[in-house]
Amino acid sequence: MDDIEQLKPFLSKFLQENYGITNFNKNFRCIAGTHPDNHPSMHYHAKEHYVKCFSCGFTGNIVTVAAHYWNISKAEAVRRLKEQYLGISMHSKTTDPMEQFLKKRGLSEKTAKHFNLSFIKNFNPEKEGTTRTNYILHDVIKIPAGENSESYILRSIHQKKFYKPTGIVESLFFKEELSQTEPVFITESAICAMSIWQCGGHAVALNGTGYNKLLEQLKREKNPPTLILSLDNDEAGKKASTALYEELSAMNLSVVNFPVSKDKKDPNELLIESGKLLAEEIQKAIHAAKATQKPAGMMCDYIAYSFIEDILTQQKNAQNRSTGFSMLDQKLNGFGSGLYIFGGRPGIGKSTFLDQIAYTLSKQTPVIYFSYEQQKRHFAAKQLSRLSFLKNEAPFKSSDLLAGKFNKNVPKIIEQYLNENPNLQMYSDVFTLDELQEKIQIYEQRSGKSPIVFVDFIQKIPVSVKGSAKETVDAVVSSMEKFTHKEDRTIVLVSSFNRGGYYSPISMDSFRETGNLEYAADALIGLQYQIVSSSHIFQSDTRFSEKQLLIRKEEQKTCREVEFSCVKNRYGSQFTMPLLYYTEYDCFTESTKKSAGRI
């Protein structure tokens, strides 16, 4: 068993000792510190020994949690945890000068790597042509001004002295941070900027109290972030902060003066005393800064900086995406980004229709199919039977495959399927809602791509919410709506109809009483028999036995006349599409017969 596996069971003890959490049988406030969490949304998974916040998504085992709590790297957290819980002392006296310096300043190895710090031994300022030439220092840390910057400063390990190379224009420390949207701290030294980054903030250093370079850079930024002034807590720092605040306010920029050093001289001194305290001060400053920002959602800002990019990104994602059904591609943009809820009466072929579309899409883009009703062998049998039918080469039935009856064409169709190499993952495990979303996120992180996701079906997804069936569905759909729109995903959820929808044309009412599906979905779509929309019998609130008889006749056919219907389309028009469903071969095709439409 490796170190991390040995440490995992101690998570509950760590949470109890450091966060005061004692009841692990119910949700508790999120420990990430990124949102108020007035309604506790973090859950402890005792079996796997990890925590997960249903609101912000923070997930972690004891190493992740400890690294977050202590504001250190995971490797350093493992060392401390092993000493604390396993009794393995990891202390060793280092003689490495750079490691000694980092430890003295409270900076982690992760921080040093992020900012590309390096060590120079036997440095001679006179020989190297720096701006100071009156004495020699032997050991210095080289601090680059940015990821791709030629500018740098040299910081003595043994004395608080800096060297600036001649012939290279001095730059702000990590000015690229000014191009992102989160609030940015302004500090005097690079060491303080690195301290703030290590504890969860974004920071730019002036390399002193002069701020003209900062003003020049801000004029070049199209949409500068809110700035948090956190200069040194001494007379020079306070004086510079007051003057800089006035300059930035005159430029109509969002700015707050919020030193995060408390009673210490600067942020790095507070880091040395307590990384947790510095992290808390940083979060307070960020909340104060966000309160001064311009109102969110300003259309002028969106149109100026994001609109065109959003449109082009959406078009690129859906470019050349085909479901195999021309009207779906035209009306729904080949299942472009959004939350789709797909319904139908039992036995009409919902799962079969969607796994056919999933297969077609997977030859163009990644697809993940979560099924709570069919096993992989049934899914595979349908895929192969359908392919044999569409290729018109001695087609075979999926029922024969599942019964072990293989005709001579089966190996050929399997080879064709493998040659087409669909990028399709299928899960038949009973995942909880939390686990399902985690699977999708893991895939995205590893592949760098966002898959189209099918979930069949929502009434069977286990959730922690206790309540009626409707309340359970509401919880699932609400969570999936946020999950879909947060990262512009494409997700299709399969839902049952309420019983009133079994014998009447598809409408918004068909989805009611099964949760607030009609409000959350970007599109409400489903399948119905064409006879339901074309016959006046199904417009009646009575005549139940006649409706049953007509449905039974349709269900006895091996080629059924079915209709795909869209009753809500947030980004387009409603429509119907006639289909033929060849039940023996699990295959849908577009019908040349004109749809009867809605009566």
Side-chain angles (χ1 to χ4, degrees), residues 262-320:
K262 292 179 74 72
D263 58 345
K264 302 298 179 184
K265 179 179 176 292
D266 58 36
N268 181 248
E269 286 196 4
L270 183 58
L271 173 66
I272 295 169
E273 177 179 296
S274 170
K276 185 174 183 292
L277 283 178
L278 179 57
E280 289 174 353
E281 289 300 301
I282 287 170
Q283 289 306 313
K284 290 177 186 177
I286 290 173
H287 289 314
K290 288 184 174 181
T292 71
Q293 289 176 329
K294 290 187 293 183
M298 295 296 290
M299 284 306 298
C300 286
D301 290 342
Y302 173 71
I303 290 174
Y305 304 113
S306 305
F307 173 66
I308 298 298
E309 183 180 353
D310 272 4
I311 294 296
L312 293 177
T313 299
Q314 187 180 47
Q315 290 300 312
K316 181 181 178 181
N317 290 340
Q319 189 175 22
N320 299 322

Short mmCIF file of all heavy atoms in Angstrom, two decimals, residues 262-320:
data_model
loop_
_atom_site.label_atom_id
_atom_site.label_comp_id
_atom_site.label_asym_id
_atom_site.label_seq_id
_atom_site.Cartn_x
_atom_site.Cartn_y
_atom_site.Cartn_z
N LYS A 262 -2.07 42.42 7.46
CA LYS A 262 -2.55 42.60 8.84
C LYS A 262 -1.57 43.50 9.60
O LYS A 262 -1.31 44.61 9.18
CB LYS A 262 -2.76 41.24 9.54
CG LYS A 262 -3.91 40.44 8.96
CD LYS A 262 -4.09 39.11 9.63
CE LYS A 262 -4.69 39.20 11.01
NZ LYS A 262 -6.12 39.55 11.02
N ASP A 263 -0.98 43.01 10.68
CA ASP A 263 -0.04 43.84 11.45
C ASP A 263 1.42 43.60 11.04
O ASP A 263 2.34 44.12 11.67
CB ASP A 263 -0.20 43.58 12.94
CG ASP A 263 0.01 42.11 13.30
OD1 ASP A 263 0.01 41.26 12.37
OD2 ASP A 263 0.19 41.82 14.50
N LYS A 264 1.62 42.83 9.97
CA LYS A 264 2.98 42.58 9.48
C LYS A 264 3.37 43.64 8.46
O LYS A 264 2.54 44.40 7.97
CB LYS A 264 3.07 41.18 8.86
CG LYS A 264 2.69 40.06 9.80
CD LYS A 264 3.63 40.00 11.00
CE LYS A 264 3.23 38.89 11.96
NZ LYS A 264 4.07 38.86 13.18
N LYS A 265 4.66 43.66 8.11
CA LYS A 265 5.15 44.67 7.18
C LYS A 265 4.64 44.44 5.76
O LYS A 265 4.32 45.38 5.04
CB LYS A 265 6.67 44.69 7.18
CG LYS A 265 7.28 45.70 6.20
CD LYS A 265 8.80 45.67 6.27
CE LYS A 265 9.40 46.62 5.22
NZ LYS A 265 9.17 46.17 3.85
N ASP A 266 4.56 43.17 5.35
CA ASP A 266 4.14 42.90 3.97
C ASP A 266 3.53 41.49 3.91
O ASP A 266 3.59 40.73 4.89
CB ASP A 266 5.32 43.04 3.00
CG ASP A 266 6.48 42.13 3.32
OD1 ASP A 266 6.24 40.99 3.78
OD2 ASP A 266 7.64 42.55 3.13
N PRO A 267 2.91 41.12 2.78
CA PRO A 267 2.26 39.80 2.67
C PRO A 267 3.19 38.63 2.93
O PRO A 267 2.78 37.62 3.50
CB PRO A 267 1.75 39.79 1.23
CG PRO A 267 1.54 41.23 0.89
CD PRO A 267 2.65 41.96 1.59
N ASN A 268 4.46 38.74 2.54
CA ASN A 268 5.37 37.62 2.75
C ASN A 268 5.62 37.36 4.23
O ASN A 268 5.72 36.20 4.65
CB ASN A 268 6.69 37.85 2.02
CG ASN A 268 7.65 36.70 2.20
OD1 ASN A 268 8.69 36.81 2.85
ND2 ASN A 268 7.31 35.55 1.63
N GLU A 269 5.70 38.43 5.03
CA GLU A 269 5.90 38.23 6.46
C GLU A 269 4.71 37.51 7.09
O GLU A 269 4.88 36.68 7.98
CB GLU A 269 6.15 39.57 7.16
CG GLU A 269 7.54 40.15 6.90
CD GLU A 269 7.90 41.26 7.88
OE1 GLU A 269 7.10 41.52 8.80
OE2 GLU A 269 8.98 41.85 7.72
N LEU A 270 3.51 37.82 6.60
CA LEU A 270 2.33 37.12 7.13
C LEU A 270 2.33 35.67 6.67
O LEU A 270 1.95 34.77 7.43
CB LEU A 270 1.06 37.82 6.67
CG LEU A 270 -0.26 37.23 7.22
CD1 LEU A 270 -0.26 37.25 8.75
CD2 LEU A 270 -1.46 37.99 6.68
N LEU A 271 2.78 35.41 5.45
CA LEU A 271 2.88 34.03 4.96
C LEU A 271 3.81 33.21 5.84
O LEU A 271 3.52 32.05 6.17
CB LEU A 271 3.40 34.01 3.51
CG LEU A 271 3.73 32.62 2.93
CD1 LEU A 271 2.46 31.79 2.80
CD2 LEU A 271 4.43 32.75 1.59
N ILE A 272 4.93 33.80 6.23
CA ILE A 272 5.90 33.10 7.07
C ILE A 272 5.26 32.71 8.40
O ILE A 272 5.49 31.62 8.92
CB ILE A 272 7.15 33.97 7.29
CG1 ILE A 272 7.89 34.18 5.95
CG2 ILE A 272 8.08 33.35 8.32
CD1 ILE A 272 8.98 35.23 6.01
N GLU A 273 4.41 33.61 8.93
CA GLU A 273 3.76 33.32 10.20
C GLU A 273 2.63 32.31 10.02
O GLU A 273 2.51 31.35 10.78
CB GLU A 273 3.18 34.60 10.81
CG GLU A 273 2.43 34.34 12.12
CD GLU A 273 1.88 35.61 12.73
OE1 GLU A 273 2.68 36.47 13.12
OE2 GLU A 273 0.64 35.72 12.80
N SER A 274 1.80 32.51 8.98
CA SER A 274 0.65 31.61 8.78
C SER A 274 0.10 31.76 7.37
O SER A 274 -0.49 32.79 7.03
CB SER A 274 -0.45 31.92 9.80
OG SER A 274 -1.64 31.23 9.47
N GLY A 275 0.27 30.73 6.57
CA GLY A 275 -0.31 30.73 5.23
C GLY A 275 -1.82 30.77 5.27
O GLY A 275 -2.46 31.37 4.41
N LYS A 276 -2.40 30.15 6.30
CA LYS A 276 -3.86 30.15 6.43
C LYS A 276 -4.39 31.57 6.66
O LYS A 276 -5.39 31.97 6.06
CB LYS A 276 -4.28 29.23 7.58
CG LYS A 276 -5.78 29.06 7.72
CD LYS A 276 -6.08 28.02 8.80
CE LYS A 276 -7.59 27.78 8.90
NZ LYS A 276 -8.32 28.93 9.42
N LEU A 277 -3.71 32.33 7.52
CA LEU A 277 -4.14 33.71 7.78
C LEU A 277 -4.04 34.56 6.52
O LEU A 277 -4.93 35.36 6.22
CB LEU A 277 -3.30 34.33 8.90
CG LEU A 277 -3.64 33.91 10.33
CD1 LEU A 277 -2.69 34.59 11.31
CD2 LEU A 277 -5.09 34.26 10.67
N LEU A 278 -2.95 34.39 5.77
CA LEU A 278 -2.79 35.16 4.53
C LEU A 278 -3.88 34.80 3.54
O LEU A 278 -4.46 35.68 2.89
CB LEU A 278 -1.41 34.92 3.93
CG LEU A 278 -1.13 35.66 2.60
CD1 LEU A 278 -1.31 37.17 2.76
CD2 LEU A 278 0.26 35.34 2.09
N ALA A 279 -4.17 33.51 3.42
CA ALA A 279 -5.23 33.07 2.50
C ALA A 279 -6.58 33.68 2.88
O ALA A 279 -7.36 34.09 2.01
CB ALA A 279 -5.32 31.55 2.49
N GLU A 280 -6.85 33.75 4.18
CA GLU A 280 -8.11 34.33 4.64
C GLU A 280 -8.18 35.82 4.31
O GLU A 280 -9.22 36.33 3.87
CB GLU A 280 -8.27 34.11 6.15
CG GLU A 280 -8.53 32.67 6.54
CD GLU A 280 -8.52 32.47 8.04
OE1 GLU A 280 -8.18 33.43 8.78
OE2 GLU A 280 -8.83 31.33 8.48
N GLU A 281 -7.07 36.53 4.53
CA GLU A 281 -7.04 37.97 4.20
C GLU A 281 -7.20 38.19 2.70
O GLU A 281 -7.86 39.15 2.27
CB GLU A 281 -5.71 38.58 4.68
CG GLU A 281 -5.59 38.69 6.19
CD GLU A 281 -6.70 39.57 6.78
OE1 GLU A 281 -6.80 40.75 6.39
OE2 GLU A 281 -7.46 39.06 7.62
N ILE A 282 -6.61 37.33 1.91
CA ILE A 282 -6.73 37.43 0.45
C ILE A 282 -8.19 37.28 0.02
O ILE A 282 -8.69 38.05 -0.80
CB ILE A 282 -5.84 36.37 -0.24
CG1 ILE A 282 -4.37 36.78 -0.12
CG2 ILE A 282 -6.21 36.19 -1.71
CD1 ILE A 282 -3.40 35.70 -0.54
N GLN A 283 -8.89 36.30 0.60
CA GLN A 283 -10.29 36.10 0.25
C GLN A 283 -11.15 37.29 0.67
O GLN A 283 -12.07 37.70 -0.05
CB GLN A 283 -10.83 34.81 0.88
CG GLN A 283 -10.26 33.54 0.26
CD GLN A 283 -10.46 33.48 -1.24
OE1 GLN A 283 -11.56 33.75 -1.75
NE2 GLN A 283 -9.41 33.14 -1.97
N LYS A 284 -10.86 37.88 1.84
CA LYS A 284 -11.59 39.08 2.27
C LYS A 284 -11.38 40.22 1.27
O LYS A 284 -12.32 40.93 0.90
CB LYS A 284 -11.12 39.51 3.66
CG LYS A 284 -11.51 38.59 4.79
CD LYS A 284 -10.91 39.10 6.11
CE LYS A 284 -11.16 38.13 7.25
NZ LYS A 284 -10.51 38.60 8.51
N ALA A 285 -10.14 40.38 0.84
CA ALA A 285 -9.82 41.45 -0.11
C ALA A 285 -10.51 41.23 -1.45
O ALA A 285 -11.02 42.17 -2.07
CB ALA A 285 -8.30 41.54 -0.30
N ILE A 286 -10.53 39.99 -1.90
CA ILE A 286 -11.19 39.67 -3.18
C ILE A 286 -12.68 39.97 -3.11
O ILE A 286 -13.27 40.55 -4.03
CB ILE A 286 -10.94 38.20 -3.57
CG1 ILE A 286 -9.47 38.01 -3.95
CG2 ILE A 286 -11.84 37.78 -4.71
CD1 ILE A 286 -9.06 36.56 -4.18
N HIS A 287 -13.32 39.60 -1.99
CA HIS A 287 -14.76 39.90 -1.83
C HIS A 287 -14.99 41.41 -1.83
O HIS A 287 -15.96 41.89 -2.44
CB HIS A 287 -15.29 39.28 -0.53
CG HIS A 287 -15.40 37.79 -0.58
ND1 HIS A 287 -15.95 37.10 -1.64
CD2 HIS A 287 -15.00 36.83 0.32
CE1 HIS A 287 -15.92 35.80 -1.40
NE2 HIS A 287 -15.33 35.62 -0.23
N ALA A 288 -14.13 42.15 -1.15
CA ALA A 288 -14.27 43.62 -1.13
C ALA A 288 -14.08 44.19 -2.52
O ALA A 288 -14.79 45.13 -2.93
CB ALA A 288 -13.25 44.22 -0.16
N ALA A 289 -13.12 43.64 -3.27
CA ALA A 289 -12.85 44.13 -4.62
C ALA A 289 -14.02 43.86 -5.56
O ALA A 289 -14.40 44.72 -6.36
CB ALA A 289 -11.58 43.48 -5.16
N LYS A 290 -14.59 42.68 -5.44
CA LYS A 290 -15.70 42.34 -6.33
C LYS A 290 -16.92 43.21 -6.07
O LYS A 290 -17.73 43.45 -6.96
CB LYS A 290 -16.05 40.86 -6.20
CG LYS A 290 -15.01 39.95 -6.83
CD LYS A 290 -15.41 38.48 -6.79
CE LYS A 290 -14.40 37.63 -7.55
NZ LYS A 290 -14.76 36.19 -7.56
N ALA A 291 -17.05 43.68 -4.85
CA ALA A 291 -18.17 44.57 -4.51
C ALA A 291 -18.05 45.92 -5.21
O ALA A 291 -19.04 46.64 -5.38
CB ALA A 291 -18.25 44.77 -3.00
N THR A 292 -16.83 46.29 -5.61
CA THR A 292 -16.62 47.58 -6.28
C THR A 292 -16.65 47.47 -7.80
O THR A 292 -16.60 48.48 -8.49
CB THR A 292 -15.27 48.20 -5.88
OG1 THR A 292 -14.21 47.44 -6.49
CG2 THR A 292 -15.09 48.22 -4.38
N GLN A 293 -16.72 46.24 -8.31
CA GLN A 293 -16.69 46.06 -9.76
C GLN A 293 -17.94 46.63 -10.40
O GLN A 293 -19.00 46.76 -9.78
CB GLN A 293 -16.57 44.57 -10.10
CG GLN A 293 -15.21 43.99 -9.78
CD GLN A 293 -15.16 42.49 -10.05
OE1 GLN A 293 -16.16 41.81 -9.92
NE2 GLN A 293 -13.99 42.00 -10.42
N LYS A 294 -17.80 46.92 -11.69
CA LYS A 294 -18.97 47.35 -12.46
C LYS A 294 -19.99 46.23 -12.44
O LYS A 294 -19.64 45.05 -12.35
CB LYS A 294 -18.57 47.67 -13.90
CG LYS A 294 -17.72 48.91 -14.05
CD LYS A 294 -17.51 49.28 -15.51
CE LYS A 294 -16.67 48.27 -16.23
NZ LYS A 294 -16.42 48.67 -17.62
N PRO A 295 -21.30 46.55 -12.52
CA PRO A 295 -22.32 45.51 -12.49
C PRO A 295 -22.03 44.42 -13.51
O PRO A 295 -21.67 44.71 -14.64
CB PRO A 295 -23.61 46.28 -12.83
CG PRO A 295 -23.33 47.67 -12.45
CD PRO A 295 -21.87 47.90 -12.69
N ALA A 296 -22.18 43.17 -13.06
CA ALA A 296 -21.95 42.06 -13.98
C ALA A 296 -23.03 42.04 -15.06
O ALA A 296 -24.15 42.49 -14.85
CB ALA A 296 -21.96 40.74 -13.21
N GLY A 297 -22.68 41.49 -16.20
CA GLY A 297 -23.66 41.34 -17.27
C GLY A 297 -23.88 42.57 -18.10
O GLY A 297 -24.91 42.68 -18.77
N MET A 298 -22.97 43.55 -18.09
CA MET A 298 -23.13 44.74 -18.93
C MET A 298 -23.04 44.34 -20.39
O MET A 298 -22.04 43.79 -20.85
CB MET A 298 -22.04 45.77 -18.59
CG MET A 298 -22.14 46.33 -17.18
SD MET A 298 -23.66 47.28 -16.89
CE MET A 298 -23.33 48.72 -17.89
N MET A 299 -24.10 44.62 -21.16
CA MET A 299 -24.14 44.19 -22.55
C MET A 299 -23.06 44.85 -23.40
O MET A 299 -22.53 44.25 -24.33
CB MET A 299 -25.53 44.47 -23.14
CG MET A 299 -26.59 43.49 -22.69
SD MET A 299 -26.14 41.75 -22.97
CE MET A 299 -25.99 41.74 -24.76
N CYS A 300 -22.71 46.08 -23.08
CA CYS A 300 -21.66 46.75 -23.85
C CYS A 300 -20.34 45.99 -23.74
O CYS A 300 -19.63 45.79 -24.74
CB CYS A 300 -21.48 48.20 -23.36
SG CYS A 300 -22.80 49.30 -23.88
N ASP A 301 -20.02 45.56 -22.51
CA ASP A 301 -18.79 44.80 -22.31
C ASP A 301 -18.85 43.46 -23.04
O ASP A 301 -17.88 43.02 -23.66
CB ASP A 301 -18.55 44.56 -20.82
CG ASP A 301 -18.18 45.84 -20.08
OD1 ASP A 301 -17.80 46.81 -20.75
OD2 ASP A 301 -18.31 45.87 -18.85
N TYR A 302 -20.01 42.79 -22.93
CA TYR A 302 -20.15 41.48 -23.57
C TYR A 302 -20.00 41.59 -25.09
O TYR A 302 -19.27 40.83 -25.72
CB TYR A 302 -21.49 40.86 -23.21
CG TYR A 302 -21.76 39.57 -23.97
CD1 TYR A 302 -21.05 38.41 -23.67
CD2 TYR A 302 -22.70 39.54 -25.00
CE1 TYR A 302 -21.28 37.24 -24.37
CE2 TYR A 302 -22.93 38.36 -25.70
CZ TYR A 302 -22.21 37.23 -25.39
OH TYR A 302 -22.43 36.07 -26.10
N ILE A 303 -20.70 42.56 -25.67
CA ILE A 303 -20.65 42.70 -27.13
C ILE A 303 -19.26 43.13 -27.58
O ILE A 303 -18.74 42.67 -28.61
CB ILE A 303 -21.71 43.71 -27.61
CG1 ILE A 303 -23.11 43.09 -27.42
CG2 ILE A 303 -21.49 44.10 -29.06
CD1 ILE A 303 -24.25 44.03 -27.71
N ALA A 304 -18.61 43.97 -26.79
CA ALA A 304 -17.28 44.46 -27.17
C ALA A 304 -16.22 43.38 -27.09
O ALA A 304 -15.33 43.32 -27.95
CB ALA A 304 -16.89 45.63 -26.27
N TYR A 305 -16.30 42.49 -26.08
CA TYR A 305 -15.19 41.59 -25.83
C TYR A 305 -15.49 40.10 -26.00
O TYR A 305 -14.56 39.31 -26.16
CB TYR A 305 -14.64 41.81 -24.41
CG TYR A 305 -14.25 43.24 -24.14
CD1 TYR A 305 -14.95 44.03 -23.23
CD2 TYR A 305 -13.18 43.82 -24.83
CE1 TYR A 305 -14.59 45.35 -22.99
CE2 TYR A 305 -12.81 45.13 -24.60
CZ TYR A 305 -13.52 45.90 -23.68
OH TYR A 305 -13.16 47.20 -23.46
N SER A 306 -16.77 39.70 -25.96
CA SER A 306 -17.04 38.26 -25.90
C SER A 306 -17.99 37.73 -26.96
O SER A 306 -17.95 36.54 -27.29
CB SER A 306 -17.61 37.89 -24.51
OG SER A 306 -16.74 38.31 -23.50
N PHE A 307 -18.88 38.57 -27.46
CA PHE A 307 -19.98 38.10 -28.31
C PHE A 307 -19.48 37.34 -29.54
O PHE A 307 -19.89 36.19 -29.80
CB PHE A 307 -20.86 39.28 -28.72
CG PHE A 307 -21.92 38.91 -29.73
CD1 PHE A 307 -22.95 38.05 -29.38
CD2 PHE A 307 -21.90 39.42 -31.02
CE1 PHE A 307 -23.92 37.70 -30.30
CE2 PHE A 307 -22.86 39.08 -31.93
CZ PHE A 307 -23.88 38.22 -31.58
N ILE A 308 -18.61 37.96 -30.31
CA ILE A 308 -18.15 37.35 -31.55
C ILE A 308 -17.43 36.03 -31.26
O ILE A 308 -17.64 35.02 -31.93
CB ILE A 308 -17.20 38.30 -32.33
CG1 ILE A 308 -17.95 39.59 -32.72
CG2 ILE A 308 -16.65 37.60 -33.56
CD1 ILE A 308 -19.13 39.36 -33.64
N GLU A 309 -16.60 36.03 -30.21
CA GLU A 309 -15.86 34.82 -29.85
C GLU A 309 -16.81 33.70 -29.44
O GLU A 309 -16.62 32.54 -29.80
CB GLU A 309 -14.90 35.12 -28.71
CG GLU A 309 -14.03 33.93 -28.32
CD GLU A 309 -13.07 34.25 -27.18
OE1 GLU A 309 -13.00 35.43 -26.78
OE2 GLU A 309 -12.41 33.33 -26.71
N ASP A 310 -17.88 34.05 -28.69
CA ASP A 310 -18.87 33.05 -28.29
C ASP A 310 -19.52 32.41 -29.51
O ASP A 310 -19.68 31.19 -29.58
CB ASP A 310 -19.95 33.70 -27.42
CG ASP A 310 -19.58 33.70 -25.95
OD1 ASP A 310 -18.47 33.27 -25.63
OD2 ASP A 310 -20.41 34.13 -25.14
N ILE A 311 -19.93 33.24 -30.45
CA ILE A 311 -20.62 32.73 -31.65
C ILE A 311 -19.68 31.83 -32.45
O ILE A 311 -20.06 30.73 -32.88
CB ILE A 311 -21.11 33.89 -32.54
CG1 ILE A 311 -22.20 34.69 -31.80
CG2 ILE A 311 -21.65 33.36 -33.86
CD1 ILE A 311 -23.46 33.90 -31.50
N LEU A 312 -18.46 32.28 -32.67
CA LEU A 312 -17.50 31.50 -33.45
C LEU A 312 -17.17 30.18 -32.77
O LEU A 312 -17.03 29.14 -33.44
CB LEU A 312 -16.22 32.31 -33.68
CG LEU A 312 -16.38 33.56 -34.58
CD1 LEU A 312 -15.06 34.32 -34.66
CD2 LEU A 312 -16.85 33.16 -35.98
N THR A 313 -17.05 30.20 -31.43
CA THR A 313 -16.76 28.97 -30.69
C THR A 313 -17.91 27.98 -30.82
O THR A 313 -17.69 26.78 -31.05
CB THR A 313 -16.51 29.28 -29.20
OG1 THR A 313 -15.39 30.15 -29.10
CG2 THR A 313 -16.25 28.00 -28.42
N GLN A 314 -19.14 28.47 -30.68
CA GLN A 314 -20.31 27.60 -30.79
C GLN A 314 -20.42 27.01 -32.19
O GLN A 314 -20.69 25.81 -32.36
CB GLN A 314 -21.58 28.38 -30.45
CG GLN A 314 -22.82 27.50 -30.37
CD GLN A 314 -24.05 28.29 -30.03
OE1 GLN A 314 -24.31 29.33 -30.61
NE2 GLN A 314 -24.83 27.80 -29.08
N GLN A 315 -20.17 27.83 -33.21
CA GLN A 315 -20.25 27.34 -34.58
C GLN A 315 -19.16 26.31 -34.86
O GLN A 315 -19.38 25.32 -35.55
CB GLN A 315 -20.12 28.52 -35.56
CG GLN A 315 -21.34 29.44 -35.57
CD GLN A 315 -22.62 28.71 -35.97
OE1 GLN A 315 -22.66 27.98 -36.94
NE2 GLN A 315 -23.67 28.90 -35.17
N LYS A 316 -17.97 26.56 -34.31
CA LYS A 316 -16.86 25.63 -34.51
C LYS A 316 -17.17 24.28 -33.89
O LYS A 316 -16.89 23.23 -34.46
CB LYS A 316 -15.57 26.21 -33.91
CG LYS A 316 -14.36 25.31 -34.10
CD LYS A 316 -13.12 25.93 -33.46
CE LYS A 316 -11.91 25.02 -33.62
NZ LYS A 316 -10.71 25.59 -32.97
N ASN A 317 -17.77 24.30 -32.68
CA ASN A 317 -18.09 23.06 -31.98
C ASN A 317 -19.12 22.23 -32.74
O ASN A 317 -19.08 21.00 -32.71
CB ASN A 317 -18.61 23.35 -30.57
CG ASN A 317 -17.51 23.88 -29.66
OD1 ASN A 317 -16.33 23.71 -29.92
ND2 ASN A 317 -17.91 24.54 -28.58
N ALA A 318 -20.05 22.92 -33.41
CA ALA A 318 -21.12 22.20 -34.11
C ALA A 318 -20.83 22.03 -35.60
O ALA A 318 -21.64 21.45 -36.32
CB ALA A 318 -22.45 22.97 -33.94
N GLN A 319 -19.69 22.53 -36.06
CA GLN A 319 -19.38 22.50 -37.49
C GLN A 319 -19.34 21.06 -38.00
O GLN A 319 -18.69 20.19 -37.43
CB GLN A 319 -18.03 23.17 -37.74
CG GLN A 319 -17.74 23.39 -39.22
CD GLN A 319 -16.44 24.16 -39.39
OE1 GLN A 319 -15.60 24.17 -38.51
NE2 GLN A 319 -16.30 24.81 -40.53
N ASN A 320 -20.07 20.83 -39.09
CA ASN A 320 -20.10 19.51 -39.75
C ASN A 320 -20.60 18.39 -38.84
O ASN A 320 -20.35 17.22 -39.10
CB ASN A 320 -18.70 19.15 -40.30
CG ASN A 320 -18.21 20.15 -41.32
OD1 ASN A 320 -18.99 20.65 -42.12
ND2 ASN A 320 -16.92 20.46 -41.29
#
